[in-house]
Amino acid sequence: MNKPAPTLDPEFVLRGSKDAISCLHFPSLKDSSLLVSGCASGEVRIWNLKSRRTVDVLDGHGGKGILTALTRTDGQVLSHGRDGKLNQWTLHEGRREITSTINIPCQSFCKCDLLEKDGMLASQGLEKSEVRVYGISAKKVTQKLIPASQHPDPLGMPMCLKFLSSQLLGVGYEDGSLVIWDLKAAKIASALKIYKEPVMCFDFSQDLQTGICGSVEDVLTSWVLKEVDFMVEKKTDIKLTNPGVSEVSIREDGKIVATAGWDSRLRIFGLKKLKPLAVLKYHTASAHCVQFSHPLPEFNNRWLLAAGSKDKHISVWSIYNG
Amino acid sequence: MDKQDEKLQIRSLIQTAVVSWKNTLSISQDASQITEILQLAGLLLPSEEQTSLSENDEKILSNIFPVCKEEGNLRLLQEEFVRSYYLKFAEFLIAQLSLDWFGKFGRGKAHEKCFNDLFLMAPPKDAVMVLSSAIFKSSPSFKRNKCLSLLEEFLKGGRLTELLWTQCLDHVTEKSGSELKSKNARVQAMWDQLINLLATLPDRMANTLKTENWDIFLPKEYFVIVAQSILKTLHNVHQAIKESKDCSLVFISQLIGKICVCGHSGILLDYLMPHILKTTSGDFIWSRIWVRLFVGAPERSLEIILECILRRVPWYGYMSKLLGDAVLNSQKANYLLTSKLLLLRHTENELVLQNIIGYLAAAPSRSSLLPLVLSNLLEAWSDSSALKHTSYEQHLYISKAILICCAHLSEKHLQEHRDALMHKLMKGMQAHLETPVPRLRTLGMVVAESLTKKLTPEGPALTFDYQKDDLSEHLETLLTVPEDPGLEELISNIKEAHISSSNAEENILSDQNDEKLNPEESQEGAEELDSDDDLEPYDMSGDTKVTKVKEPVYIRDCMEGLIAKDNPDLVEASLKVAEKLIRKKPDNLPEIAVEFTKVLLHLEDNYHTDGFAELRQSSLRALTVHCPVPVTSYLTEQFYDRNYNIRQRIDMLQVLSVAAQELAKPEPSRGKLSPISVSDQLLPVNQLPGIENWRDIVQKRIDSKTRRFASATKKGPEPAANRFAAVAGHFFFPLMKTYDSPMNTMNLLGGDFFLLGRLVYTLGMVLHSAQNTMICRQMAKSLLEFIWVIRYHTEPYVRQAIMFAIAMVILSVPTHTLTTDLQTDVIECQMWLEDIVEKDSEPECKKQAAQTILLLQDAIQKEFKGGEG
């Protein structure tokens, strides 16, 4: 067994964002080493990880903060801002233009999620507790998921959402519940109240059917989705030193999971038992987002970990790579 | 021939026959002759079934007793034999019993049966008396074994039932007026003897047989047999009553009473209770029988019987069936149920309370007693002197009783007595809130809350701020009347358990084992797959709590941080680092120590910091340890100053005692007396380093060829200077300075007795820390003088503190001082302690006093032994 390196420092740090980093995204394009970031002043930056320079800056939200920045397989970039617009950008040899815009209301800070293969985009809706699913090509709302009569207690605003499969959408609500929506039946498949405080973020590994939840509280929880009836079952939880988790990310291989903490630290856990593995200290202000990359060919097929913080820096780490 | 003559004739006939039998039996060597006689005697025993004798037997009998040819004479003959001769004859037989004699004829089964029948078919009361008295008198021998096996067969064969049943009938048949009195006295004497024997048989058996006791005579088995017999007899009684015949239950009632008094009530009633519940469930006659049995028992055994029943009846609804209206009819039962068992006794078993109070409330005729009982209970509960002088368990018991009473009290009674009850409750509440014992206080709050809720449901609710725990929640549940747990299940459970207990248990056990084994295996497998062990964690020590402010690094900053206004984070951070900074011993510590102490002492927990009290105390302790003289003189002075609350004064005492303890411990790292290094030692000229000494060379050679088997000797503890010795006085004497001058804010000899107790505890601890110092003796003397003044304090807390202080004196002062300088004080203390052990009301105090005396005697004894040796 390789002894992990005694010191933990970032591989490198990307500086240059004009404001606090709000979201990060590794484009799933083959052979690219790009990173997309959104910031609180409405700019979307595209970084080249090899040269560690900004490749492009997309500014289309009138100075309102970016909630989500995503890329599609055809190279288009989606950016969702607090101005209530989802812009679709086409980048071509130095040109950057907004090819289309969908109006997506934003009441809360809930990020969108895109399921590329089905062309579905999920986001928060206009009504309280509402979640909408859009057909990305038709640019229309295909489904409105309103829990009103299906859940006994008011759930509050949606705080985070993610497609678990083509059929299932997981949504974390303000009251601390995690709800699994069955999109085919447009019904709640199951619900589990995990916290007293809002669910801030979760990530899900399809291979292991296991998810991790973070909250305002100082507890990180893992859960399992049962394939038969889509019931969510709590597996383990672990207490963190400081409360508040902004984002969690599970690495593709399902071995480790990273959290971005309000205490500016990133934490690494084993996925299966939530065994604490490492604490990454670099940022000086609360960490807002954390993402694992795919194996990057230009980095010897290693997985990189990128984290953005309120201190405007993006730190890039390489940890537990063989 | 007239009747009287006939009787006389029969009597003389039997007499001659018995005498001749005895002669023959003792002399004869002929087995057949002996058997014949035994058979004959057997025929004279009245048989239960009225079968007439076989012709052969009749012939034999009429050969000897020609009279019995006439009808009815046989019966007379048998009665006469049993009444006047059987006892003697049986005793004679047992006296004859020996291996030789028995061997002559007893080889055959039939022969042996002849002999056994003489006991097993005989009137049971005579047989059991003869056999048992023979056993009690005997020494280990064939005779004893034979008697034991006869008695065993007697018990197993159900003869006991016969015995009880005859007693039930016996009393009734005696009727004629003039004879009645003498007969009654005779019967009673016989009964007493019999009951005594039956109730104490296991004990006496154990005394006689010692380690060779038989299983059947162990109380566990014997009393079950007795209980079974009683039950069978009662079934007979029940049958007889149904047929409107007369029966007497006095004997059985007395027997049960006696057994209970002897302390075997548990086994007896454990067996009987399910049957009692079952039989009374639908049948009024049975209910009458049990009532007569329990209530008719002798008065001195009534209490124990009642208590046993109360402990075992699972639901109060059954109580009326077992006791009837005893509480109204019997003075004794009334006293027991409404006063003694509620107010004077106490037990953890709540069923007792539920049963008593439920029983009182169940019938309208009795329910008028309930307000009275509740009033008495409240009276006892609210008495502040009782609160001080009764044990906590007793008080808890009374509190429970009050709550249960409330649950059962009807609306009508409630209306009537509301004001009186309320008045008493208020009085009691005050007494409870004033007590220094926290758990009593909480108890008072819980009871008062629940009671006011019940008494004035529409009035403003009384709520106290106490920590809910299991007890308080449990107490609240007492306010609801328990429901019928369902008799059917209970009885069937018990019955089945009786039948197949062993089998079922085994099955269950094996099942559990199976279940246990399987999941473990499967889980283990899963766990191995499901682990993160292949990933080795990094060092995570840097992952600490984030604070928003910078921690102070200098001690002055820390002090300023503590008094910073409107900056909770800074205050918290400062408090957390304070101890660490003080322990670093910065140069300017002495100059700011007193000021720092002042700041900490006045610091209030405005922001609900976690572990505030501990943090503050450890900082204060650190200050006291590092600057003992200024800080202690400040603290001891402030202790007698005005303008402090009790909490702060307690803090001061606490700090002084923990600091004293820390100072008394050898310092771990510093203060080590460094061993003298080799280079400093003076060496003779010829042993200068560099020049090899011949001794060393030889020693080395020897060492290289020597094998040592001893383990390396352990190093003794490292010597360290006692840091406390120099400053002990500063901790101690100022604290005793002005304890007797009352102030507005503190009166140690008055209401602030709690503080006084803490003061004495603290002095004791400081003294203990000062052991092995020169000043210790002086301190001990002052302490003994100090506590002498307050030793008859009314609060147990203070008395306990004083005893603690005495114990500390004993432990700290060299023992020879106890017997010389302090002798008079010590003797006085001992007398005082003995006084406490005898007279104190608080069991805790008594216990502690006894322990302290032991400690003292031990110390003195050691001293004398040491002196002699």
Side-chain angles (χ1 to χ4, degrees), chain A residues 1 3-5 241-242 263 265 267 270 272-273 275-277 281 320, chain B residues 527 529-538 540 542-546:
Chain A
M1 193 186 291
K3 198 91 181 158
T241 319
N242 293 305
D263 59 352
R265 290 169 203 164
R267 293 187 169 75
K272 284 165 189 151
K273 301 204 123 180
K275 176 186 179 188
L277 294 174
K281 278 207 265 190
Y320 290 110
Chain B
E527 258 170 40
L529 279 177
D530 203 23
S531 85
D532 301 326
D533 284 348
D534 51 333
L535 302 168
E536 194 156 314
Y538 287 82
M540 277 177 290
D543 190 22
T544 49
K545 282 257 175 210
V546 173

Side-chain angles (χ1 to χ4, degrees), chain B residues 636 728-737 763 775 778-780 782:
Chain B
T636 50
H730 292 277
F731 281 76
F732 192 79
F733 295 109
L735 268 187
M736 295 193 291
K737 210 164 47 182
L763 291 172
I775 204 169
Q778 229 169 318
M779 285 164 79
S782 318

Side-chain angles (χ1 to χ4, degrees), chain A residues 185-209:
Chain A
K187 266 188 180 167
I188 292 180
S190 69
L192 177 69
K193 172 118 174 144
I194 301 180
Y195 303 111
K196 282 184 190 146
E197 302 290 333
V199 180
M200 289 304 288
C201 50
F202 73 91
D203 199 4
F204 182 73
S205 158
Q206 286 200 2
D207 299 338
L208 297 165
Q209 293 291 303

Side-chain angles (χ1 to χ4, degrees), chain B residues 678-689:
Chain B
V678 185
S679 57
D680 290 344
Q681 272 177 321
L682 292 173
L683 294 172
V685 186
N686 61 349
Q687 286 183 18
L688 280 174

Side-chain angles (χ1 to χ4, degrees), chain A residues 227-247:
Chain A
E227 280 177 54
V228 191
D229 48 1
F230 309 131
M231 290 304 283
V232 179
E233 200 172 79
K234 208 161 144 182
K235 197 167 150 198
T236 46
D237 49 17
I238 188 165
K239 204 163 161 62
L240 306 173
T241 319
N242 293 305
V245 182
S246 339
E247 190 162 26

Side-chain angles (χ1 to χ4, degrees), chain B residues 607-628:
Chain B
Y607 311 115
H608 291 281
T609 313
D610 281 342
F612 175 84
E614 292 83 53
L615 285 170
R616 178 168 71 161
Q617 201 193 78
S618 55
S619 308
L620 279 168
R621 176 173 72 178
L623 274 171
T624 320
V625 166
H626 291 299
C627 302

